[in-house]
Amino acid sequence: MNPVPFVILYLIPAATSAALAVYAWKQRHYRQAGPFGLLMAALAFWSTCHALSVADMTLEGTLFWSQLQYGGVVLVGPLLLLFALAYADQWAWATAKMRVVLYAPSLLLFIAVMTNESHHLWWTSVAPDTSRPFLSLAVERGILFWVHTAYSYLCILAGIGLFIHTMLEAPPIYRYQAQLVVIGAFIPVAGNIAHLLGLQVRWVDDPTPFLFAATSLFLFYATLRYQLLDLAPIAQREVFESMPDGVVVLDRQGVVAMINQHAPDLLAVEPARWVGKKFVTLIDHSPLAPSLRTVLSTPATPASQRVQYAGEDGLHGVEIRLRPLHTGRGTYAGSLLVLRDTTERVRMEQALGRRLEELTIINEAARATSAAMQVDDVLRTVTHAIVRSLRWDRVAIGLSQSDGQTLQLVVDHARDAGPSLEGQYLSANDFEPIMKVLHTRQICVLQAGDHRSNDTSVEGMLQGLGLRMMLSIPLYSQSQPIGVFFLGSRTAKNISTNEIRLAETLGELVTEAVMRTRLYEAAQQASQLKSALLATISHELRTPLTSILGYEELLQREIFGPLPEHVREPLGNMRHSGLILLRLIGDILDFSKLEAGLFTIDLHPVDLTSVVNNVADTMRPQIYERGLSFHVELADALPLVRGNSARLEQVLTNLVSNAIKFTDTGAITIWAEQRGSHVRLSVQDTGIGIAPEHQAVIFREFYQVQNLHTQRVRGTGLGLSISRRLIELMDGTLSLESAPGVGSTFRCDLRLATVSTLEQVQVRE
Ligand code: ADP
């Protein structure tokens, strides 16, 4: 008997398993490598002990090694089950307690086999078997052996069940590997069952180690070929599951091969089972369905889409990306669908958009409030902007009336034209909660059906306007209530603090606008009253003054009898003063009419030559009286200008009178010449001139430069202001060029009379 070849035979599975155990040890950072390595180590131990039992030529030795090999045998079942749990991604089951429960029977059974001599429950009899070319044992199996067999098979069958389940669930790329693992697990089971049923091979007393060695080779092949350990499905799945994106792998037919835990959430659908089913039918109820269908319509080309949809808890955003998957040979194998949650970004963009909208509205309202001159205009602009851009369906503003108990709705603007309450009054008796807002200065939210709006009139108003809720904001200025700002919504909604702050800001703008425009209106009214009063007074003064001057003239003409010589001079002074007074009254009357907007002027083609000659004839005596020389320089064939001859004479007289007043020596010249589409009429003097700082302001009403001349000759300071306005009413301009000590030149630029202006036009300021 030479056992060496048989020892070598048994060492083959021992070496194979040991090599795989070492390999698994190196890969131990993968979860499956642990139980796989231990399984291989148990097989290596089993085969080694068996080889030693064959090598030993004594009965005691053979018996000892045969018993010791069970140290590996009893562990094969539990370890295979643990490996299957890890492989099937069910490692959560393999808790420490569970592992103790699994190993405990193995330990007890190993103790039982080692102590068989004392109880014979494992093997009831042991005898040398010399039928083989080496010494082996012929045993009668006892009850504990069958307990061990049953326990091992229970574990192994559970493990195989898990392998089969994994194989069926595995995505295509792992399917071959899973099949190899299942076949590998079946081989020793089939062989062992045959062995236990009595199938004998002469050369081998127990084929199980060989069969397990075959399993090991299968797994080794799976390890090399499909990288069982390095790219283990579990590790892959862990990465896959822990990805923040939703990932779906679809095969060529669009059937789900793999889906991670985030994908259903992002797809917003949760069917019972994804894997193995057609993707497009599963996402029927997903809000992403239309975009997904578009993206998947050409699954072999990369595509991406951004989707936004409103969920129950607000806006959601998902970015869909499709990447086709190709085999090594470049043929299309399926697609990878990646879903990225962009909700945060979308919501941030939405918030930014709202903020921008709010700022735009505030800006629009601020512009309206600073530009408008009437309360109604401002309120209308603000309410329209709110309804157009914000989430409110109706905006109204009620202004408090003088009794403090009534509000008048000055604006009521709805998104779609409905019944308007504009112009209506709300009284404290009818709308108590609303008036409370005004007096307590507390913002109030009235909801239809709410206890606070229990007031039937408010409830009725809300219902009548089709509103579910209304936000009422008090408007007050310097602690005086001025009104209430109402924002209504057709749907019940939560009002954010931002919305309340925006409404308050708009309320403040409205308040400011109301106050400002009220002041403006009051000032306007006062100014008009003042102008009307001035006009009346000047008119009333002029009548008796004209009469005084008339009697003076009759006296001068000695209609009432001859005049003593000494009376003539005071009478002349009286006339002079009367005429000055008449001019002043005329100026004030013109000014007040201009201010009150009651001044009208007829425009017609005017011959400037006759205007200038008339004024020159009237003023010449006064000019010569002051010892000044006087020149009139008119261009030949001056064209007609657009204007009013009487008013032009008034302006020219005023300019020449000023020139006389402020010139002590030298000359006064009147020019007129055509300059393009204008005719320039100038009055030049060599008088005291006007300092630059006064040049712009002398055109203001009642402005006079204080000097000896203005003290000597009294004026109103209205002449230039009225002159400029008159020239402007004729579409012309009045300007000045002056240097102190040199003289001044006042220029009127008047437009040429065109064919259309030859018709008489009435202009009202
Ligand atoms: P009034 O002559 O009644 O004072 P005006 O409006 O005609 O009012 O003139 C305003 C002021 O402009 C005058 O008080 C004077 O100081 C200044 N002014 C007007 N014309 C001249 C001028 N030709 N030379 C110097 N100062 C002038």
Side-chain angles (χ1 to χ4, degrees), residues 658 661-662 685 690 698 703-705 710 715-717 719-720 744 746:
N658 280 347
K661 265 197 272 180
F662 299 105
D685 65 50
I690 303 162
I698 54 164
Y703 191 87
Q704 291 178 308
V705 181
T710 45
T716 51
L720 285 179
S744 313
F746 285 86

Side-chain angles (χ1 to χ4, degrees), residues 159-429:
I160 289 176
L162 279 169
F163 285 135
I164 292 175
H165 176 77
T166 314
M167 181 183 79
L168 295 178
E169 286 282 302
I173 51 169
Y174 296 123
R175 213 160 275 165
Y176 285 117
Q177 186 201 62
Q179 282 165 3
L180 283 181
V181 172
V182 171
I183 296 169
F186 261 117
I187 295 171
V189 177
N192 188 257
I193 290 172
H195 172 69
L196 292 178
L197 289 177
L199 190 74
Q200 293 290 331
V201 180
R202 189 169 181 272
W203 302 95
V204 179
D205 62 334
D206 183 356
T208 322
F210 291 98
L211 300 170
F212 265 113
T215 301
S216 310
L217 284 173
F218 257 98
L219 296 182
F220 186 62
Y221 176 70
T223 309
L224 285 184
R225 177 72 179 80
Y226 296 106
Q227 298 170 310
L228 177 72
L229 296 181
D230 335 67
L231 279 178
I234 178 69
Q236 288 242 330
R237 198 160 303 156
E238 253 175 38
V239 173
F240 191 65
E241 289 299 338
S242 61
M243 276 169 79
D245 293 337
V247 185
V248 187
V249 181
L250 302 173
D251 71 7
R252 220 176 325 193
Q253 278 74 42
V255 170
V256 179
M258 221 170 160
I259 182 163
N260 76 350
Q261 58 177 355
H262 296 301
D265 287 350
L266 291 170
L267 290 165
V269 275
E270 193 91 41
R273 202 181 134 93
W274 288 92
V275 176
K277 297 206 171 165
K278 201 126 179 97
F279 183 67
V280 282
T281 57
L282 296 172
I283 49 129
D284 252 350
H285 300 295
S286 166
L288 312 184
S291 306
L292 284 168
R293 288 212 181 90
T294 316
V295 165
L296 289 168
S297 59
T298 50
T301 36
S304 63
Q305 275 218 3
R306 285 183 177 186
V307 189
Q308 284 186 15
Y309 66 93
E312 275 171 16
D313 55 341
L315 199 64
H316 287 260
V318 180
E319 192 180 311
I320 303 170
R321 273 181 294 144
L322 181 82
R323 294 279 168 275
L325 298 173
H326 295 101
T327 61
R329 269 176 260 133
T331 47
Y332 169 69
S335 328
L336 182 71
L337 193 65
V338 181
L339 306 162
R340 177 154 295 175
D341 189 356
T342 55
T343 302
E344 211 170 304
R345 196 177 69 202
V346 164
R347 287 189 183 168
M348 207 134 78
E349 281 170 3
Q350 188 191 34
L352 274 178
R354 278 216 195 111
R355 190 87 196 106
L356 194 69
E357 246 170 29
E358 289 172 7
L359 288 175
T360 311
I361 287 191
I362 291 178
N363 182 33
E364 204 172 318
R367 258 190 296 138
T369 52
S370 62
M373 294 301 175
Q374 283 184 338
V375 177
D376 286 12
D377 289 351
V378 177
L379 303 188
R380 224 165 279 286
T381 312
V382 174
T383 49
H384 281 236
I386 294 173
V387 169
R388 196 175 55 241
S389 317
L390 296 182
R391 299 185 303 147
W392 296 102
D393 300 307
R394 189 172 207 116
V395 181
I397 295 172
L399 293 184
S400 173
Q401 300 301 291
S402 49
D403 62 359
Q405 298 299 312
T406 320
L407 277 183
Q408 188 192 11
L409 287 178
V410 281
V411 202
D412 176 22
H413 180 64
R415 191 176 291 280
D416 45 18
S420 172
L421 297 182
E422 209 160 288
Q424 290 202 18
Y425 291 89
L426 312 180
S427 75
N429 297 340

